[in-house]
Amino acid sequence: MFVALEILGLVAFAASGALAAVRARLDIFGVTVLGITTALGGGIIRDVLLGIQPPTTLRTWPYLAACAATALLVFAFHPQLARLRRAVLLADAVGLGMFATAGTAIALDAGVPAYTACLIGMTTGIGGGALRDVLLREIPLVLRKDIYALAALAGAVLVAAGDALRLPQAPVTLGAAAFVVALRVVALWRRWNAPVPRGTG
Amino acid sequence: MFVALEILGLVAFAASGALAAVRARLDIFGVTVLGITTALGGGIIRDVLLGIQPPTTLRTWPYLAACAATALLVFAFHPQLARLRRAVLLADAVGLGMFATAGTAIALDAGVPAYTACLIGMTTGIGGGALRDVLLREIPLVLRKDIYALAALAGAVLVAAGDALRLPQAPVTLGAAAFVVALRVVALWRRWNAPVPRGTG
Amino acid sequence: MFVALEILGLVAFAASGALAAVRARLDIFGVTVLGITTALGGGIIRDVLLGIQPPTTLRTWPYLAACAATALLVFAFHPQLARLRRAVLLADAVGLGMFATAGTAIALDAGVPAYTACLIGMTTGIGGGALRDVLLREIPLVLRKDIYALAALAGAVLVAAGDALRLPQAPVTLGAAAFVVALRVVALWRRWNAPVPRGTG
């Protein structure tokens, strides 16, 4: 169940990384490497923070194979240039939701307190996309988009709350993931804006 | 005692991150996230290098609360635009001093040799600010400012020397932290310059 | 034997970082810090992924001394400006070969499976250079150069294959390292190009 959620998140983040690399006009190797890095980055950070070494994603080859296949498919069949930006944001939203919630559940299973699990889950969701943007010399989405970190945190808190109430973990995590994705999509669609500092407009 | 020093460092780095984010015209969420990342970054790197997992700063909520409150205060009451650059540098100097020295003391307490403790302490001091600058697409202060890494190293060596001489740790660490801050402030104030490579001027 | 290979890789990466810093017109401290960071970065990432904490390179001072000496020599005797770019790429190729293969051998010695060892070795080779480029605000070589990650992976797979066939580790690792360096040098010399995404030319 978690594996399915994680693979979905991996594929979504691999697509977002590969799409961003296409947009930056990297070649086929750059597209593949950035897709893989974006997809595996969050989980590697999570495992290092939890002390799971070597990280899970470096131990099971289907993860890497799924990322590489996704990146190559994106390279071959990417959308029109004009739509690349939106495609990156959409794939990123799906990856964020899956990873923030699955990351929180994995941290809880590893026995850390709920507060720590939420922060680690949030970091798992944010990490891969931040790595992608830094490697392409862009200011990460998490700093520019209004409810990016907040959406990830909301998903993490929902998973931790479900755990505290002893609800079944699988459906709660899935629901929380869907909630995060919906939040991000609505924020993108309605162009929600947050206040900016006074005097800098 | 250390906790007080660490909280002071956290607040200073959170302020430097939030001020830099205001300068980059990020919104209220970006200011908060960058403040927190700058403040917690160095300590997380230190704990990962020492094998303290999950990192201390992700386990105790007052740390995060202090950072978030600082970032929000900066967002509400930041100085005039013209003074932002200097405010970032000053807050950064305080954070550098606190973290480089407290990081060295924590590493010594974890039982690593003095040489390793100095390097880890230095990294703790440098890490948060480097993360802040990379996320805002700037070349990190540590590469541009003359005695930045050297000041951190001096503070770390003072703490390790005090430890070797069996001096009481708390006053030595505090004195070393003050020394680092003073070094950085004087360097900023006097605009000390280091030699640049021949033929590139 | 490994130590010699690792020192050679460290010196090469320290030179590549210092040369890149000279090219970016950093001062003597920036040149030293970037040389050290580039050289130690890959090994620190490797040790954190393997759970070797604190990392080896932070425990033995000759490593750091070799890096600092290399960076200072580069600062004093760097080549003509026009040749800096090529010098960075060449030093980077040597570092990549040494670190990707030695990293794989070290991971195998730590008892991880061959698949994981190859990924960790590849990351060791790529990590330092990626750090160098991100700190200087450049898109990392690994995303821009055609057979960069592939060359590192080839070297890692050769080492793992030699291990599976129970061949003596030292000569295999040395041969694999030479193969990676040769691949990169030929790719640079012949300006091999990989396909770029359709419609973005």
Side-chain angles (χ1 to χ4, degrees):
Chain A
M1 170 50 217
F2 274 148
V3 174
L5 213 67
E6 245 196 309
I7 296 266
L8 185 56
L10 278 174
V11 167
F13 264 141
S16 88
L19 288 162
V22 168
R23 214 173 145 233
R25 305 192 176 197
L26 299 183
D27 69 17
I28 188 170
F29 294 104
V31 168
T32 311
V33 171
L34 193 64
I36 291 172
T37 308
T38 308
L40 301 187
I44 291 176
I45 295 171
R46 177 198 65 214
D47 288 354
V48 165
L49 292 178
L50 287 172
I52 301 174
Q53 288 150 321
T56 318
T57 38
L58 297 183
R59 276 183 294 178
T60 28
W61 66 264
Y63 287 124
L64 187 66
C67 300
T70 305
L72 291 173
L73 283 174
V74 163
F75 183 83
F77 308 106
H78 63 79
Q80 295 305 98
L81 275 191
R83 292 187 177 171
L84 275 175
R85 201 174 152 275
R86 189 173 303 180
V88 171
L89 291 172
L90 212 69
D92 183 274
V94 176
L96 182 75
M98 302 302 138
F99 272 30
T101 54
T104 308
I106 289 169
L108 287 168
D109 286 351
V112 305
Y115 169 75
T116 308
C118 287
L119 290 183
I120 289 181
M122 192 173 129
T123 309
T124 310
I126 291 170
L131 210 54
R132 175 196 62 215
D133 295 345
V134 165
L135 289 174
L136 291 180
R137 288 188 303 184
E138 297 186 2
I139 294 185
L141 276 181
V142 62
L143 295 179
R144 288 187 293 127
K145 292 296 166 180
D146 323 335
I147 57 156
Y148 194 93
L150 218 60
L153 184 59
V157 168
L158 284 179
V159 172
D163 186 75
L165 299 170
R166 298 184 185 283
L167 298 178
Q169 202 178 37
V172 167
T173 307
L174 198 61
F179 177 71
V180 175
V181 178
L183 251 181
R184 283 290 301 142
V185 169
V186 171
L188 288 173
W189 172 46
R190 303 296 298 261
R191 298 178 189 280
W192 280 346
N193 285 311
V196 293
R198 281 175 301 107
T200 59
Chain B
M1 172 49 216
F2 274 147
V3 175
L5 213 67
E6 244 196 309
I7 296 266
L8 185 55
L10 278 174
V11 167
F13 264 140
S16 88
L19 288 162
V22 168
R23 216 174 145 233
R25 306 191 175 195
L26 298 182
D27 69 17
I28 188 170
F29 293 105
V31 169
T32 313
V33 170
L34 193 63
I36 292 173
T37 307
T38 307
L40 301 187
I44 290 177
I45 294 171
R46 177 197 65 215
D47 288 354
V48 165
L49 292 179
L50 287 172
I52 301 173
Q53 288 149 320
T56 319
T57 39
L58 298 183
R59 276 183 294 178
T60 28
W61 66 264
Y63 287 124
L64 187 65
C67 300
T70 305
L72 291 172
L73 283 174
V74 164
F75 183 83
F77 307 106
H78 64 79
Q80 295 304 99
L81 274 191
R83 291 188 177 171
L84 274 175
R85 199 173 154 276
R86 191 173 303 181
V88 171
L89 290 173
L90 213 69
D92 183 274
V94 176
L96 182 75
M98 301 303 138
F99 271 31
T101 54
T104 308
I106 289 169
L108 287 168
D109 286 352
V112 305
Y115 169 75
T116 308
C118 287
L119 291 183
I120 290 181
M122 193 174 129
T123 309
T124 311
I126 291 170
L131 211 52
R132 174 196 64 215
D133 295 344
V134 165
L135 289 174
L136 291 180
R137 286 188 304 184
E138 297 185 1
I139 294 185
L141 276 181
V142 63
L143 294 180
R144 288 186 294 126
K145 291 297 166 180
D146 323 335
I147 58 156
Y148 194 93
L150 218 60
L153 183 59
V157 168
L158 284 179
V159 172
D163 186 74
L165 298 169
R166 299 187 182 284
L167 298 177
Q169 202 177 38
V172 167
T173 306
L174 199 60
F179 176 71
V180 175
V181 178
L183 251 181
R184 284 289 301 143
V185 168
V186 171
L188 288 173
W189 171 47
R190 303 296 298 261
R191 298 178 189 279
W192 281 345
N193 285 312
V196 292
R198 282 175 300 109
T200 58
Chain C
M1 170 51 216
F2 274 148
V3 174
L5 212 67
E6 245 197 308
I7 296 266
L8 185 55
L10 278 173
V11 167
F13 265 141
S16 88
L19 287 162
V22 167
R23 215 173 145 233
R25 304 189 177 199
L26 299 182
D27 69 16
I28 188 169
F29 293 104
V31 169
T32 312
V33 170
L34 193 63
I36 292 172
T37 308
T38 307
L40 301 187
I44 291 177
I45 295 172
R46 176 197 66 214
D47 288 355
V48 165
L49 292 178
L50 287 172
I52 300 173
Q53 288 150 319
T56 319
T57 38
L58 298 183
R59 276 183 294 178
T60 28
W61 66 265
Y63 286 124
L64 187 65
C67 300
T70 305
L72 291 173
L73 283 175
V74 164
F75 183 82
F77 307 107
H78 64 79
Q80 295 304 99
L81 274 192
R83 293 189 176 170
L84 275 174
R85 200 174 153 274
R86 191 173 303 181
V88 172
L89 290 173
L90 213 67
D92 183 274
V94 176
L96 181 74
M98 302 302 137
F99 272 31
T101 54
T104 308
I106 289 169
L108 287 168
D109 285 352
V112 305
Y115 170 75
T116 309
C118 287
L119 291 182
I120 290 181
M122 192 174 130
T123 309
T124 310
I126 290 170
L131 211 52
R132 174 196 65 215
D133 295 344
V134 165
L135 289 173
L136 291 180
R137 286 188 302 184
E138 296 185 1
I139 294 185
L141 275 182
V142 62
L143 295 181
R144 288 186 293 125
K145 291 297 167 179
D146 323 333
I147 58 156
Y148 194 93
L150 217 59
L153 183 59
V157 168
L158 284 179
V159 172
D163 187 74
L165 298 170
R166 299 184 183 286
L167 298 178
Q169 202 177 38
V172 167
T173 307
L174 199 60
F179 177 70
V180 175
V181 178
L183 251 181
R184 283 290 302 142
V185 168
V186 172
L188 289 173
W189 173 45
R190 302 297 297 261
R191 299 178 188 280
W192 281 346
N193 285 311
V196 293
R198 282 175 301 108
T200 57

